[in-house]
Amino acid sequence: MDLSIIIPMFNEAENAEHTLTRVGEALVSFNGDYEIITVNDGSTDDTLSVLEKIAILNKKIKVISYPMNIGRGMALRKGFQESKGEIVVSIDADLSYDPQYIIDLVETLKKEPQIDFVLGSPYMPGGGVQNVPLLRLWISKLGNKILRFALPNRIHTSTGIFRAYRRKVLDSLELESDGKEIHIEILSKALALGFRVKEVPAILTGRKRGSSKFKFKKTATSHLLFSVFEKPMMIFGVLGILALGVGLLIGLYVAYLWFLGKLTPGRPLITFAILLILGGIQILSFGFIALQILTLRKEILRIQKENLELKDQIMTIGKGKG
Ligand code: UDP
Ligand code: MG
């Protein structure tokens, strides 16, 4: 199988048929064997029955379904597990990205063997956004700006679903996110493993039918936490240096007063300066410890990947002998 397209769906009865038609049309020009895997993430509307009807008529469409709504992370993981393609594309069910771009992403992987996964990117130069509610767009852009500093590569769009992966990337990752944070989990782990990423410009359009499942509080918290885990010094470094700096400045001022002979020994300012200096050092130390843990975590990921590769090699040798 050359290509698998994964489409997670939660209450997308209004979109399912139209989206699958459009994806099918986009793939007419695709030269190879493909499958479309739809994952019903515990919808409470007719999504499942709509999908099952379409799948009977079109053998390229597969349906995975489970009864509880867990989140798009779970839906994508299930889809990845079932997929057989050498290249795996994920896209959302509301045509936020024109399926014509699927070919662009796949072609990039075909033409550039050094690239392991490709991101459809509305926020990079050349990309764009249409009809997305302003507040939502602003939050998303701000989040992506923060993540741009947190991640090792300077990525413009790290929260998008629209991507193409080589099989080996997905096979090397142990993914655990249930929600939208799966996109950054994949990026973080894949980059830590040394896989190479490329962004390709794409236009993101606001959803036309059905309602967005975006949950602000949950998404903001998970993404901010992720940023801190990924780059602990973003918080600990800034806060630590700030406390230390202010503490030292106050200390200098106190020393100056003492030099002039104007210092009242009992002044709370002295205690405050000492507290700030000690606190600053403490916060910075937390940052260093977090950094060490991060390095260890990435080292473990790398070892996991090497284990998988070794396992593969042993299997191939075994098959050769058998
Ligand atoms: N989705 C899902 N489970 C959920 C929430 C969303 O499978 O719990 C799917 C949804 O059907 C869509 C994709 O994930 O195909 C992205 O969701 P949505 O378009 O609502 O989010 P947005 O594009 O606004 O971030
Ligand atoms: Mg969407």
Side-chain angles (χ1 to χ4, degrees):
M1 178 78 63
D2 301 297
L3 174 64
S4 303
I5 316 280
I6 319 275
I7 316 180
M9 298 198 184
F10 172 54
N11 291 350
E12 301 282 6
E14 287 171 81
N15 287 309
E17 188 174 2
H18 180 58
T19 298
L20 286 170
T21 311
R22 290 282 306 279
V23 171
E25 283 165 7
L27 290 173
V28 169
S29 65
F30 178 70
N31 196 353
D33 201 10
Y34 72 87
E35 61 180 355
I36 300 175
I37 300 182
T38 58
V39 188
N40 171 40
D41 178 28
S43 299
T44 49
D45 67 358
D46 295 335
T47 303
L48 181 60
S49 58
V50 173
L51 288 177
E52 280 172 339
K53 268 185 216 138
I54 304 171
I56 291 173
L57 301 173
N58 184 342
K59 288 293 159 232
K60 288 195 179 305
I61 296 177
K62 304 197 168 90
V63 184
I64 302 175
S65 180
Y66 43 86
M68 277 271 291
N69 172 239
I70 300 179
R72 75 162 88 167
M74 174 59 106
L76 284 172
R77 287 193 284 135
K78 287 269 182 235
F80 292 152
Q81 272 166 20
E82 291 296 315
S83 68
K84 300 196 176 60
E86 271 315 304
I87 293 178
V88 179
V89 169
S90 55
I91 188 164
D92 60 7
D94 58 356
L95 296 176
S96 295
Y97 295 92
D98 188 327
Q100 282 303 328
Y101 287 119
I102 295 175
I103 301 293
D104 287 1
L105 299 197
V106 173
E107 281 300 310
T108 308
L109 285 181
K110 287 199 166 156
K111 282 191 197 125
E112 302 185 47
Q114 78 282 6
I115 299 298
D116 300 305
F117 63 115
V118 186
L119 316 177
S121 176
Y123 300 142
M124 77 181 291
V129 181
Q130 283 168 1
N131 298 328
V132 174
L134 260 181
L135 180 67
R136 173 73 203 276
L137 179 63
W138 184 79
I139 295 168
S140 169
K141 277 192 166 169
L142 180 71
N144 275 287
K145 284 233 163 70
I146 298 176
L147 286 163
R148 194 167 146 81
F149 288 104
L151 287 162
N153 299 38
R154 290 282 171 257
I155 291 166
H156 297 87
T157 311
S158 42
T159 57
I161 189 173
F162 186 41
R163 300 174 172 184
Y165 307 92
R166 287 191 201 282
R167 166 106 260 139
K168 64 174 178 189
V169 177
L170 296 175
D171 284 350
S172 310
L173 303 177
E174 297 277 342
L175 298 172
E176 43 207 44
S177 302
D178 286 338
K180 190 171 162 39
E181 63 282 6
I182 188 152
H183 305 311
I184 38 183
E185 183 193 7
I186 295 178
L187 258 179
S188 158
K189 290 187 170 169
L191 292 175
L193 289 178
F195 288 117
R196 273 146 311 184
V197 65
K198 180 173 181 175
E199 282 187 280
V200 171
I203 307 283
L204 169 72
T205 322
R207 153 191 287 278
K208 290 179 197 76
R209 278 180 277 198
S211 57
S212 169
K213 284 91 201 169
F214 181 72
K215 294 189 195 95
F216 171 68
K217 242 165 94 186
K218 203 167 161 227
T219 311
T221 321
S222 65
H223 284 58
L224 276 177
L225 270 180
F226 172 87
S227 302
V228 177
F229 284 140
E230 193 67 20
K231 205 154 245 173
M233 281 304 185
M234 237 162 83
I235 293 277
F236 293 112
V238 172
L239 284 180
I241 287 176
L242 206 73
L244 195 63
V246 175
L248 285 175
L249 278 180
I250 299 177
L252 274 179
Y253 173 64
V254 169
Y256 168 74
L257 289 182
W258 177 78
F259 187 71
L260 295 183
K262 286 188 192 157
L263 186 70
T264 333
R267 264 193 92 162
L269 203 58
I270 306 176
T271 322
F272 188 53
I274 293 175
L275 270 181
L276 277 176
I277 293 173
L278 288 181
I281 294 175
Q282 185 93 55
I283 297 172
L284 278 177
S285 319
F286 281 142
F288 282 115
I289 295 173
L291 258 183
Q292 301 277 316
I293 296 176
L294 184 74
T295 319
L296 277 179
R297 212 189 75 206
K298 296 202 162 158
E299 201 53 48
I300 294 173
L301 278 176
R302 244 168 264 146
I303 296 172
Q304 267 178 357
K305 182 188 177 206
E306 277 163 23
N307 276 344
L308 277 173
E309 283 165 2
L310 274 176
K311 203 170 119 194
D312 270 359
Q313 280 172 20
I314 294 171
M315 300 275 266
T316 0
I317 294 171
K319 266 186 209 150
K321 283 191 176 150

